[in-house]
Amino acid sequence: TILFAHELEMSIHKFSDPTDMAYLMSHTNHLIVVSRAVASYFQKMYHYPESQISTFQIIDIPLILKNIEEGKKVDIRQKMGVPANAILVGGCGHAEWRKGNDIFMMVAQQVIKHFSSKPVYFVWVGMREDSELYEVQRFDANRMGIADRIIHIGLTSQVFQYLSQFDIFTLTSREDPYPLVVLETALAAKPIVCFEKGGGAPELVEDDAGFVVPYLDVFEMSQKIIELIDNPELRLKMGQKAKHKVLERHPTEKNVEKVLHIIRDLKVS
């Protein structure tokens, strides 16, 4: 039995049964995880041997790059009705406490108020407009005085139109094992700002593809976004580095071959 694990503590506790998980782990011959953060969790919580863990991600890079190029063909600034020179700070994902939508709003408040005369917009893609959280977010935006600078995009199949044209991607998640959206945004050559201890994203971002800030430090995250907005050359440099690292670390064919290699080794043993 090979287990592919793409979740961390919060989700595992919420969506699985402890007894079932213990049984599953005791019958797993090899564990594939998407990040070192996930590997550490399974080693700590289930005492799973490091020698039986492989860490890599499987993504369809050619398809993602194609989707990014298709996404660029639509002018989302015009589509959203914002200025052509607007700076777009993006977030993406199903809206929930784990994703830090509340943190996204607090960061937006600090950054937007810093740039009172510059057209800076915070755009979240993936929030249902009929959800209670959407109502709460719009309520907060109005009370903060930044409702015109916060844009919520509902569930959409056109995600790459947004990811490909964000200037900065902000991962406000409290926990995210190694989010696909970060890899997609990196392949679009965008710098990423995320929290340490929040999952696997810091393993890609490090100190050259964006910024990793202390866990839930809203002020520091805001400062790093301000720094990136003020420095277009740094945004370009870090974005290109993010893309290079995904291409280098997550080659699709090689990682599929790794899975086949694991299967062959288990069959032999």
Side-chain angles (χ1 to χ4, degrees):
T1 302
I2 300 170
L3 175 64
F4 176 62
H6 202 303
E7 293 301 338
L8 276 168
E9 180 178 2
M10 204 179 293
S11 291
I12 291 173
H13 285 181
K14 183 177 181 180
F15 296 111
S16 67
D17 178 86
T19 303
D20 290 344
M21 280 299 299
Y23 179 84
L24 177 61
M25 296 309 301
S26 69
H27 288 76
T28 294
N29 303 97
H30 198 91
L31 177 64
I32 299 174
V33 295
V34 294
S35 65
R36 293 193 300 273
V38 177
S40 296
Y41 170 77
F42 278 89
Q43 286 177 263
K44 178 181 178 181
M45 293 302 298
Y46 300 99
H47 308 290
Y48 199 82
E50 185 177 1
S51 61
Q52 292 172 232
I53 300 176
S54 296
T55 305
F56 56 88
Q57 174 66 283
I58 301 175
I59 56 174
D60 191 338
I61 288 179
L63 179 60
I64 294 172
L65 291 175
K66 178 183 176 182
N67 289 337
I68 288 169
E69 291 308 309
E70 286 296 315
K72 290 177 181 178
K73 295 178 180 178
V74 177
D75 186 341
I76 61 162
R77 287 168 176 80
Q78 183 181 58
K79 184 176 179 178
M80 295 187 298
V82 303
N85 65 336
I87 298 293
L88 303 181
V89 181
C92 182
H94 286 291
E96 56 172 313
W97 179 80
R98 185 171 64 97
K99 294 289 186 180
N101 299 90
D102 54 334
I103 300 166
F104 187 78
M105 296 291 288
M106 289 186 280
V107 171
Q109 182 184 39
Q110 294 194 28
V111 174
I112 290 168
K113 288 193 173 182
H114 178 86
F115 293 107
S116 57
S117 60
K118 183 175 285 192
V120 176
Y121 291 78
F122 276 66
V123 183
W124 186 278
V125 180
M127 181 174 291
R128 294 176 60 98
E129 293 186 5
D130 60 353
S131 68
E132 181 181 356
L133 186 54
Y134 174 82
E135 294 180 9
V136 170
Q137 298 259 285
R138 297 316 303 174
F139 179 89
D140 285 346
N142 278 296
R143 291 294 179 96
M144 290 173 170
I146 56 174
D148 60 330
R149 297 295 184 89
I150 301 288
I151 299 174
H152 289 102
I153 306 297
L155 301 181
T156 175
S157 61
Q158 306 301 325
V159 175
F160 285 96
Q161 291 180 8
Y162 300 92
L163 297 187
S164 65
Q165 295 176 68
F166 287 152
D167 294 288
I168 301 161
F169 187 78
T170 307
L171 186 72
T172 52
S173 297
R174 292 176 167 88
E175 176 186 278
D176 238 325
Y178 199 42
L180 178 59
V181 69
V182 164
L183 302 176
E184 293 169 337
T185 306
L187 285 171
K190 308 301 178 182
I192 298 150
V193 184
C194 64
F195 291 126
E196 66 177 1
K197 301 178 183 177
E203 297 167 27
L204 176 73
V205 176
E206 297 171 314
D207 60 357
D208 56 359
F211 294 104
V212 180
V213 304
Y215 185 71
L216 299 192
D217 191 331
V218 173
F219 176 77
E220 187 63 19
M221 179 171 277
S222 303
Q223 291 303 302
K224 294 305 182 184
I225 292 172
I226 289 169
E227 182 178 344
L228 286 167
I229 291 173
D230 278 334
N231 195 333
E233 291 184 2
L234 181 62
R235 292 204 305 269
L236 179 63
K237 179 181 177 181
M238 287 186 157
Q240 289 295 333
K241 187 64 177 181
K243 180 177 181 178
H244 172 77
K245 289 204 285 188
V246 175
L247 292 173
E248 182 180 60
R249 298 180 185 184
H250 305 296
T252 303
E253 291 186 7
K254 287 185 178 179
N255 284 351
V256 170
E257 183 59 37
K258 286 180 182 179
V259 177
L260 297 176
H261 182 74
I262 291 168
I263 294 170
R264 294 187 191 110
D265 280 358
L266 287 176
K267 286 176 69 177
V268 170
S269 61

